[in-house]
Amino acid sequence: MEFMDNCYIGIDIGGMSIKGVVISPEGNILAENSVVTGVEGGKEQVCANIVWLVNELRKAVDDYKPIGIGIGCPGIIDSKNGVVVFAANLNFNNVPLAHMVGEQVGLPVRMTNDANAAALGEATFGAGKIYRNSVLVTLGTGVGGGIIIDDCLFEGFKSAGAEIGHMIIVKDGLPCTCGNRGCFEAYSSASAIIKKTAEEMKAHPESAMWKTYTPETVNGKTAFEYWDSDQTAADVLEWYLDHLAVGLVNLANIFRPQVIMIGGGISKEGDRLVNPLQKRVDAMLFAGSDYAPVKVVKATLGNQAGAFGAAALVM
Amino acid sequence: MEFMDNCYIGIDIGGMSIKGVVISPEGNILAENSVVTGVEGGKEQVCANIVWLVNELRKAVDDYKPIGIGIGCPGIIDSKNGVVVFAANLNFNNVPLAHMVGEQVGLPVRMTNDANAAALGEATFGAGKIYRNSVLVTLGTGVGGGIIIDDCLFEGFKSAGAEIGHMIIVKDGLPCTCGNRGCFEAYSSASAIIKKTAEEMKAHPESAMWKTYTPETVNGKTAFEYWDSDQTAADVLEWYLDHLAVGLVNLANIFRPQVIMIGGGISKEGDRLVNPLQKRVDAMLFAGSDYAPVKVVKATLGNQAGAFGAAALVM
């Protein structure tokens, strides 16, 4: 039997589809594929789809030796025991998914929350790879993220921590989907900027944004598009950046990472987003930004971060 | 030479005095002593005072073998290199204190920030000793604290993290000594409740608190004392507990410790403080409090927590 290089399989479960990658120890993609999630078929169907995906990936890299499978899964994950404690999107309650998959594929399986997986992916292969301490903040429908301390994923007791989107930054502020008020997520998600843009358009019939949008058609890019040419758009962005920066400064003062990586749809704005955030964070950082600066950067792996990070779980 | 039990020396540097303890591996106090800090004599004098204190402590336990010295010091501490980067109270800038002390006493010296030392003390010997994941929140002149993850002190990159008092909970809120607005500390310190009590007394000449206090003589206990008999006092406490609970919930959602320990002068109120906080935290905890509950308890070591935790640095 000849010598085979190792490879690592990463699985990222979403509500609609399951993505899978096989990566080399250097972080190169050796294969990728996807399958429908199949939530309507229940946990057995979701598990069968994962197993099918894993087998397809293994066939594609049969000159490599798979060491293990990492799974990033939405919801509350007991990563120590590989159990999906609760996942609303998947309709899962206490599903021992790591065990179910492991039994059928004959490889070790590790699991974490999808946001944590994305953070580990960016920290290992993406924007954080040169740092040992990083935080990923994902600006999407909600605000997710994860925390890497000394190159290790931090999950909190029973993996229930790192819920950074539900840090309250405005006591008694805007309502959040979690039931509390004033959460970081209620101000800094893509949904939050869309809602604010629509509201400000309604309040400002003179806004140039009306040229190409209505409050019903605005998206997360609208205000950025009109930033330089419209006062209402500029006001929306000032509001958005000011609140987002408060959340980032809190994370910086609490974790003092070397880098905060911004992911999710809004991060596509790149420097236009990141530069004004860096300026605000530097100005507000406790005891200044000279001794232990915190860089704000765009995440680089896009929607592959989760699958990469899942693979990193078994590296 | 007969067999000697090990012991550990903990030093807690304050602006006025330096406390020292010698503890056994089980956490029993074998000796304790203190000395003036001597800030006016500069770093050499402070160092000489620490060395004197260490030598006195060693004499008191000469049938034990000292393994090392831990130092808790106010300010920004580079714990990896044992350097006081900046400490306003001590007038220290880049003072290699661990090396200076170690050279003269011939024992290994480790150092951390005083708030971190207190957290490690409570986690190792006090209210957190049965838990592996805990957070200490100290309600004093400011709000300090520290974080223990899997029995290890978490300090952030270059030991600059864990500044929980400067987490913003009310964007654009009350001014904080750090220069920002709306920090946890500006609402939850002993100073904050004193200020609020005085303000509310002025606004409410009918308050029963006027019987024994003026806005100039109120202290951190005044509102607690009149809680059951005066509406103004009750309103002050509702305001105080509501804001304090927001900070605790944020720490719970971010770190998901098993226990949050409340220390500092205000914590002397005991159950009257802790019980309403537990209720609020349970009600606001992300995804509920069944899966991974977070207990709120009173810290138990009082002002010895720092010296105990300093000793724990070298255990």
Side-chain angles (χ1 to χ4, degrees), chain B:
Chain B
M1 193 171 141
E2 68 187 310
F3 176 78
M4 288 166 91
D5 277 327
N6 292 340
C7 71
Y8 309 90
I9 299 174
I11 301 292
D12 185 23
I13 306 177
M16 300 302 289
S17 72
I18 302 171
K19 280 196 282 285
V21 297
V22 185
I23 64 168
S24 71
E26 297 76 31
N28 297 319
I29 297 184
L30 302 172
E32 54 188 320
N33 206 334
S34 66
V35 66
V36 294
T37 309
V39 174
E40 63 292 345
K43 59 187 178 185
E44 284 79 13
Q45 186 61 53
V46 174
C47 179
N49 290 348
I50 294 170
V51 170
W52 178 86
L53 180 59
V54 167
N55 288 334
E56 289 297 307
L57 290 167
R58 287 176 79 166
K59 275 186 240 165
V61 294
D62 59 5
D63 45 348
Y64 286 82
K65 183 182 167 199
I67 297 301
I69 299 172
I71 299 178
C73 183
I76 298 174
I77 310 300
D78 175 352
S79 58
K80 198 174 151 195
N81 298 304
V83 172
V84 184
V85 178
F86 176 70
N89 287 349
L90 304 178
N91 200 20
F92 276 16
N93 266 296
N94 286 312
V95 174
L97 190 63
H99 180 73
M100 290 166 67
V101 171
E103 235 181 3
Q104 295 189 50
V105 298
L107 285 172
V109 179
R110 294 194 62 188
M111 194 156 61
T112 191
N113 171 284
D114 55 351
N116 288 337
L120 186 60
E122 287 289 348
T124 310
F125 303 112
K129 71 179 169 188
I130 63 166
Y131 304 103
R132 288 174 57 85
N133 301 278
S134 58
V135 172
L136 174 69
V137 178
T138 305
L139 310 173
T141 312
V143 172
I147 294 134
I148 309 295
I149 299 171
D150 283 337
D151 280 337
C152 292
L153 182 61
F154 167 70
E155 297 186 306
F157 181 60
K158 294 176 86 174
S159 322
E163 289 293 351
I164 63 172
H166 300 287
M167 162 175 69
I168 293 169
I169 61 168
V170 183
K171 184 178 180 299
D172 302 324
L174 295 176
C176 180
T177 52
C178 75
N180 288 336
R181 283 182 164 271
C183 291
F184 187 25
E185 172 165 313
Y187 293 88
S188 301
S189 61
S191 321
I193 194 172
I194 291 168
K195 198 168 162 222
K196 182 73 174 176
T197 308
E199 278 171 16
E200 293 300 315
M201 277 184 75
K202 286 179 199 161
H204 294 276
E206 79 285 6
S207 165
M209 293 189 282
W210 284 100
K211 285 185 206 163
T212 45
Y213 294 96
T214 70
E216 288 70 39
T217 63
V218 293
N219 60 47
K221 296 177 204 164
T222 305
F224 286 95
E225 196 181 314
Y226 281 88
W227 194 349
D228 298 327
S229 59
D230 180 53
Q231 189 57 45
T232 305
D235 290 346
V236 166
L237 281 169
E238 177 129 331
W239 176 91
Y240 183 71
L241 293 167
D242 281 352
H243 285 86
L244 177 48
V246 164
L248 300 187
V249 165
N250 284 356
L251 294 170
N253 286 340
I254 291 170
F255 288 106
R256 194 57 71 124
Q258 293 160 279
V259 65
I260 296 178
M261 307 173 289
I262 311 290
I266 299 289
S267 72
K268 290 181 185 146
E269 299 296 331
D271 288 348
R272 282 163 64 83
L273 175 77
V274 161
N275 291 346
L277 288 173
Q278 180 76 66
K279 213 175 267 181
R280 284 164 167 82
V281 168
D282 286 348
M284 298 174 80
L285 205 57
F286 183 71
S289 60
D290 289 341
Y291 170 62
V294 178
K295 275 183 87 84
V296 181
V297 305
K298 183 180 176 300
T300 57
L301 300 181
N303 61 14
Q304 283 189 313
F308 267 77
L313 284 176
V314 290
M315 293 185 77

Side-chain angles (χ1 to χ4, degrees), chain A residues 3-310:
Chain A
F3 176 78
M4 289 165 92
D5 276 327
N6 292 341
C7 71
Y8 309 89
I9 299 174
I11 302 292
D12 185 23
I13 306 178
M16 302 299 291
S17 73
I18 302 170
K19 282 195 281 283
V21 298
V22 185
I23 64 168
S24 72
E26 296 77 31
N28 297 320
I29 296 185
L30 302 172
E32 54 187 320
N33 206 334
S34 66
V35 64
V36 294
T37 307
V39 173
E40 64 291 346
K43 60 186 176 184
E44 284 79 13
Q45 186 61 52
V46 174
C47 179
N49 291 347
I50 294 170
V51 170
W52 178 87
L53 179 59
V54 167
N55 288 334
E56 289 297 306
L57 290 167
R58 289 177 78 166
K59 276 187 239 165
V61 294
D62 59 5
D63 47 346
Y64 285 82
K65 182 182 169 200
I67 298 300
I69 299 172
I71 300 179
C73 183
I76 298 173
I77 310 300
D78 175 354
S79 59
K80 196 174 153 196
N81 298 303
V83 172
V84 185
V85 178
F86 176 69
N89 287 349
L90 304 178
N91 200 20
F92 276 16
N93 265 296
N94 287 310
V95 175
L97 190 63
H99 180 74
M100 289 165 68
V101 171
E103 235 182 2
Q104 295 190 49
V105 299
L107 284 172
V109 179
R110 293 194 62 188
M111 194 156 63
T112 191
N113 172 281
D114 54 351
N116 287 338
L120 187 61
E122 287 289 348
T124 311
F125 303 112
K129 71 179 168 189
I130 63 166
Y131 303 103
R132 288 174 57 86
N133 301 279
S134 59
V135 172
L136 173 69
V137 178
T138 305
L139 310 173
T141 312
V143 171
I147 294 134
I148 310 295
I149 299 172
D150 284 338
D151 281 337
C152 292
L153 181 62
F154 168 70
E155 297 187 305
F157 181 59
K158 293 177 86 174
S159 322
E163 289 292 351
I164 63 172
H166 300 287
M167 163 175 67
I168 294 169
I169 62 169
V170 184
K171 185 180 179 299
D172 302 324
L174 295 176
C176 180
T177 53
C178 75
N180 286 337
R181 283 182 164 271
C183 291
F184 188 24
E185 171 164 313
Y187 292 87
S188 300
S189 61
S191 320
I193 194 173
I194 291 168
K195 197 167 163 223
K196 182 73 172 175
T197 309
E199 278 171 15
E200 294 300 315
M201 278 184 73
K202 286 181 198 159
H204 294 277
E206 79 285 6
S207 164
M209 293 189 281
W210 284 100
K211 285 187 207 162
T212 45
Y213 294 96
T214 69
E216 287 71 38
T217 64
V218 293
N219 60 48
K221 297 177 203 164
T222 305
F224 285 95
E225 197 181 313
Y226 280 89
W227 193 349
D228 299 327
S229 59
D230 180 54
Q231 189 57 47
T232 305
D235 291 345
V236 167
L237 281 169
E238 176 128 333
W239 176 91
Y240 183 72
L241 293 168
D242 280 353
H243 285 85
L244 178 48
V246 165
L248 300 187
V249 165
N250 283 356
L251 294 171
N253 285 341
I254 291 170
F255 288 105
R256 195 57 70 125
Q258 295 160 278
V259 65
I260 296 178
M261 309 174 288
I262 311 289
I266 299 288
S267 73
K268 291 181 184 145
E269 299 296 331
D271 287 348
R272 283 162 63 82
L273 176 77
V274 161
N275 291 348
L277 288 174
Q278 180 77 65
K279 211 175 271 182
R280 284 166 169 81
V281 168
D282 285 349
M284 297 174 79
L285 206 56
F286 183 71
S289 59
D290 289 341
Y291 170 62
V294 179
K295 277 183 84 85
V296 181
V297 305
K298 182 180 175 301
T300 57
L301 299 180
N303 61 15
Q304 284 189 313
F308 267 76

